[in-house]
Amino acid sequence: MPTYQSILNELRRSFPQPTSDRIHDSYVTHTVMRVLDQVDALKSELPIWGSKLPLDYELARQSRLHWEGKSLEEVSSELVSYLNGLNIWGHPKTQINICPPPTVASLVAQVISGLASPNLVWDEVSQRFALAEVEVASIVSELMGYDSQTSAGIFTFGGTGCTLYAHRIALEKALPGSLKEGVRQDAAILVSANGHYCKLTVAGWLGLGQKNVHAIPTDARNQIRLDLLEERAREILAGGGKIACFMATVGTTDCFALDDVEAIVRLRDRLVQEFSLDYSPHVHADAVIGWAWSVFRDYQWEANPLGFRPRTVRALAATVERLAGLELADSIGIDFHKTGFTPYVSSLLLVKESQDLRRLGRGYEEMPYLFQTGEYHPGLFTLETSRSGSGILSALANLRLFGRTGLQSLLGHLVEKAQVLRELLEARPYLTIVNRDNFGPVTLFRAYPNGIDTFRVHERELTDPAFAEQLVAHNEYNRRLSRFLHTEAMSGRGVLLGQSDCFRLTPFGLPIVALKSYITSPFVEDLHLEQLVEKIAQAQRLM
Ligand SMILES: *Cc1c(COP(=O)(O)O)cnc(C)c1O
C-alpha cells in the first residue's frame, strides 16, 4: 500500500497548479484539447453524439467507489463516453425543442468559471463576477425597457427559479409577513392554461397549494383569454379572496404564444382601484423564451437593414408589437439557455423595483459568517446560498459576442427558416399548421391520411364534438408518423422533430397531438426543411 503522501503527490498533478508552472499548465491545456478531440470524434452525419447505447440503470445502481483512483486520462475518456446518444443541439436536423446550441464564447465562460469557482453569495468571494451579474442585469433591463438604476437582477436555477422568486415576492405583497409567519391563507395565481407547468411546482413548493393556480383558457392564438382572466379575477376579489400574482407567458413553451402583458397590468391596476385593495397583485412576465426578441424593438422594419424576407419581417414585427408593455411587468424571467445560446443553466430574474427583492431579506444577524466586507450581498435574500458564476459569465459572453445585430441575425434566421418550413407545409394538402398565428421559430402541424379534406378538418376538430372519434384517430395517426420520422432520423435519413401530446385542448376537453419543428440551430438551411417535408410525403405513402 503506498503511503498517503505518495498518493497525494500523484493527485496534486490532477489539480491546476496554484502558482504558474508552465509545464504543468500546458499539460492541463493538452488534457482539455485531447478531450475535445475525442468529443469531435463522436460527430457523424447523425444529429446525435456517438450512438445511442442502452441505458442500463440496473448496472448503474451497482456502482461503488473504487479503492483506487484512475488516471486523469482514463477518467477524461470515460467522461467523454457519457455524451453518447445526446442530441447535437446545433445540428440542422435537430428540431426537437427549445434547446439552442451553446457558443464557443459561452463554453470559455464555463471553463474559466469552473476554474476559479466564484460564489455569488457575496462579492468578497465573487469579485468581478458580481460586476458581471450587475452588467448582465443592466444590459437586459435596458432591453426590456426597465430603468437599470432602479431595477435589479439575479441569476437563479432556471425559469422555474425565476417563477419561484416572483411568486415569493408576490406572496409577500398579498400576504405581508408570510415569509416569517408562514402562508396561512389562500391567494390566487392567475396564468394561462398554456403557461408552463412550473406554476404548479411553485404553488406547491411555496406552501400555497396547487389548488390556488387558476389556469385560464386561451384563444385561437393560444394567448390567455383576457375576458376570462378578468371574470375569474373579479370572482376571486368579489368573494373576498386575494390575488397573489398575474403571470403572463411571453413565448409559451410549445408554440410561442405571447400574452398581452400591457392589458394584464392595466387589468390589475383597474381591479386595485375598483376593489380598493391595500396591496397590488404582482405581475410576472414569464418571458424565458420571448425576452430575446426585444433586440428587435428599435429595428427599422421599412428599411429592413439586415435583409430579412418580407414574411420574416412580418413575423418579427408582430412579435415585437406583443412585447410592448413588457416593461410594465413587476418582474421578468429570462433564460439564456432557451434563446440566448448558452449551456444550461443560465437564468436571470429581473425585478422592476430592486426594493422587491428586499422583501425576501433576512437580517445580517442570521448569517454571522458572511458579509463582513464588500457591498454586494445578494446572499441576504437569495434562495440559494452558494450560486455559480458560470451561468452569469456565459450570458455575458454571448451578449458581448453577439451585440444587438448578432442576436437579431440569429433569431431572425430561426424565424426565417420557420417561415420557409411553413410555406413548404402549406403547399402540401394533407398537412395543416396548427399554430398558424404564432410567429416564433416553432411550427406545430398535423398530418392527415389521404383523402381527408384538410381545409376544414382541423377547424372541425376544434369545434365539433361529433368529430371526436376522428380527432382521436388523427391523433394516433400523427403519433405513428412521429415514430416513423424518429426512426428515420436516427438512421440519418431525416430530421429529428418534437411531438406535443397536447398542443391544446379542444373546448370539450380532448388533447390535440401535433408534430413540432423547433428551429434553434443557426445551421439550418432550406434544404433541411425540404428534406423534412419530402420525408413526411414518403411516410404518407407508406402509412
Ligand atoms: C422552459 C420554460 C420554463 C422553465 O424553465 P427552466 O429553465 O427549464 O426551469 C418556464 N416557462 C416557460 C414558458 C418555459 O418555456
Side-chain angles (χ1 to χ4, degrees):
M1 188 85 184
T3 63
Y4 103 84
Q5 193 65 50
S6 68
I7 296 175
L8 178 67
N9 285 342
E10 190 66 30
L11 281 178
R12 278 180 174 162
R13 293 220 298 273
S14 309
F15 290 84
Q17 300 302 288
T19 54
S20 179
D21 172 342
R22 305 213 35 178
I23 295 178
H24 191 274
D25 290 349
S26 77
Y27 166 67
V28 174
T29 310
H30 270 89
T31 305
V32 173
M33 277 169 36
R34 287 188 25 210
V35 163
L36 292 181
D37 271 344
Q38 292 173 45
V39 169
D40 205 52
L42 291 178
K43 289 180 188 165
S44 65
E45 284 306 301
L46 294 182
I48 58 170
W49 300 97
S51 54
K52 271 210 199 284
L53 308 173
L55 299 175
D56 190 342
Y57 294 102
E58 197 43 54
L59 194 62
R61 271 188 285 272
Q62 289 164 20
S63 255
R64 300 292 178 266
L65 184 61
H66 297 168
W67 274 105
E68 283 180 29
K70 297 183 174 181
S71 71
L72 180 57
E73 288 68 26
E74 277 177 291
V75 173
S76 302
S77 299
E78 271 185 29
L79 294 182
V80 170
S81 78
Y82 283 84
L83 265 60
N84 271 294
L86 284 174
N87 299 112
I88 297 178
W89 300 126
H91 200 291
K93 292 186 178 179
T94 303
Q95 298 175 14
I96 304 173
N97 218 328
I98 177 69
C99 301
T103 61
V104 180
S106 66
L107 295 181
V108 169
Q110 299 261 323
V111 170
I112 63 173
S113 303
L115 193 70
S117 201
N119 186 343
L120 269 293
V121 65
W122 170 25
D123 55 2
E124 174 67 21
V125 284
S126 52
Q127 295 292 318
R128 294 181 62 80
F129 278 73
L131 279 186
E133 182 162 55
V134 174
E135 285 177 69
V136 175
S138 299
I139 292 170
V140 183
S141 272
E142 195 263 341
L143 280 179
M144 297 299 114
Y146 278 179
D147 175 355
S148 65
Q149 292 303 313
T150 49
S151 68
I154 38 165
F155 277 76
T156 186
F157 61 96
T160 304
C162 295
T163 307
L164 185 67
Y165 267 99
H167 284 82
R168 188 79 263 316
I169 293 170
L171 284 182
E172 221 38 42
K173 289 181 177 177
L175 310 175
S178 55
L179 188 68
K180 224 178 182 132
E181 303 298 328
V183 175
R184 296 288 180 271
Q185 200 184 335
D186 284 328
I189 296 172
L190 295 161
V191 53
S192 116
N194 278 12
H196 192 268
Y197 68 80
C198 70
K199 60 197 174 204
L200 296 172
T201 315
V202 160
W205 285 63
L206 284 176
L208 186 62
Q210 297 177 344
K211 67 167 192 188
N212 277 297
V213 176
H214 300 255
I216 309 297
T218 54
D219 63 17
R221 299 162 86 183
N222 306 303
Q223 296 158 183
I224 195 165
R225 286 256 317 255
L226 291 165
D227 55 337
L228 298 180
L229 177 65
E230 174 157 2
E231 200 178 296
R232 180 61 62 86
R234 283 179 178 283
E235 265 169 35
I236 292 165
L237 295 174
K242 290 199 163 189
I243 296 175
C245 190
F246 291 92
M247 180 150 76
T249 310
V250 182
T252 55
T253 316
D254 241 1
C255 62
F256 202 75
L258 306 155
D259 288 346
D260 187 340
V261 179
E262 181 166 2
I264 292 173
V265 172
R266 301 280 175 244
L267 169 64
R268 186 267 315 265
D269 293 346
R270 276 204 316 279
L271 294 173
V272 168
Q273 281 273 318
E274 206 177 312
F275 287 84
S276 309
L277 300 181
D278 59 0
Y279 67 100
S280 178
H282 191 83
V283 176
H284 177 64
D286 181 4
V288 296
I289 292 179
W291 70 273
W293 270 254
S294 61
V295 291
F296 287 106
R297 270 185 158 178
D298 49 9
Y299 190 73
Q300 303 191 319
W301 303 111
E302 291 285 322
N304 186 22
L306 294 177
F308 296 116
R309 297 171 65 213
R311 242 184 109 131
T312 311
V313 168
R314 208 160 47 98
L316 294 172
T319 303
V320 170
E321 196 198 322
R322 273 296 177 183
L323 294 184
L326 199 51
E327 73 277 5
L328 300 173
D330 297 313
S331 58
I332 307 177
I334 285 150
D335 275 357
F336 289 92
H337 58 245
K338 289 275 176 68
T339 42
F341 302 90
T342 69
Y344 291 114
V345 171
S346 178
S347 298
L348 172 69
L349 171 79
L350 277 183
V351 292
K352 188 184 173 76
E353 302 296 338
S354 59
Q355 288 308 319
D356 272 355
L357 289 173
R358 297 265 160 247
R359 296 172 191 270
L360 312 182
R362 291 166 291 262
Y364 278 100
E365 66 282 3
E366 313 287 348
M367 296 161 278
Y369 24 79
L370 295 177
F371 310 128
Q372 295 86 359
T373 63
E375 55 175 299
Y376 190 67
H377 297 164
L380 281 174
F381 54 78
T382 54
L383 168 62
E384 304 98 324
T385 300
S386 300
R387 274 191 313 132
S388 162
S390 66
I392 296 171
L393 208 64
S394 308
L396 186 66
N398 282 354
L399 292 171
R400 293 261 198 272
L401 179 75
F402 299 149
R404 214 173 270 254
T405 53
L407 200 46
Q408 285 173 342
S409 302
L410 279 169
L411 298 173
H413 180 72
L414 306 183
V415 170
E416 180 136 322
K417 293 305 136 184
Q419 291 294 329
V420 169
L421 175 62
R422 284 167 179 233
E423 282 172 19
L424 293 167
L425 294 171
E426 282 160 2
R428 307 274 177 158
Y430 46 86
L431 299 174
T432 294
I433 299 166
V434 295
N435 69 332
R436 193 171 288 127
D437 298 321
N438 301 127
F439 298 112
V442 57
T443 305
L444 291 150
F445 59 97
R446 274 163 80 77
Y448 295 92
N450 279 326
I452 300 270
D453 171 11
T454 52
F455 286 107
R456 296 235 309 283
V457 64
H458 185 54
E459 189 58 35
R460 278 195 74 185
E461 286 179 333
L462 280 174
T463 52
D464 185 355
F467 209 66
E469 208 171 303
Q470 284 99 318
L471 170 76
V472 171
H474 295 154
N475 277 349
E476 191 42 45
Y477 184 80
N478 279 276
R479 286 204 182 91
R480 262 170 52 216
L481 175 61
S482 177
R483 284 193 293 273
F484 173 84
L485 294 174
H486 188 266
T487 309
E488 287 293 287
M490 293 305 282
S491 320
R493 294 187 300 266
V495 172
L496 268 182
L497 291 182
Q499 174 187 321
S500 181
D501 281 323
C502 181
F503 138 72
R504 62 179 293 142
L505 287 173
T506 65
F508 37 95
L510 282 175
I512 296 188
V513 174
L515 299 180
K516 172 155 90 169
S517 154
Y518 217 127
I519 297 182
T520 57
S521 165
F523 299 97
V524 173
E525 292 298 347
D526 292 1
L527 125 108
H528 305 113
L529 306 167
E530 285 155 10
Q531 284 172 2
L532 166 59
V533 176
E534 194 44 54
K535 181 56 70 183
I536 297 171
Q538 187 193 341
Q540 189 79 3
R541 291 189 294 271
L542 293 174
M543 275 170 60

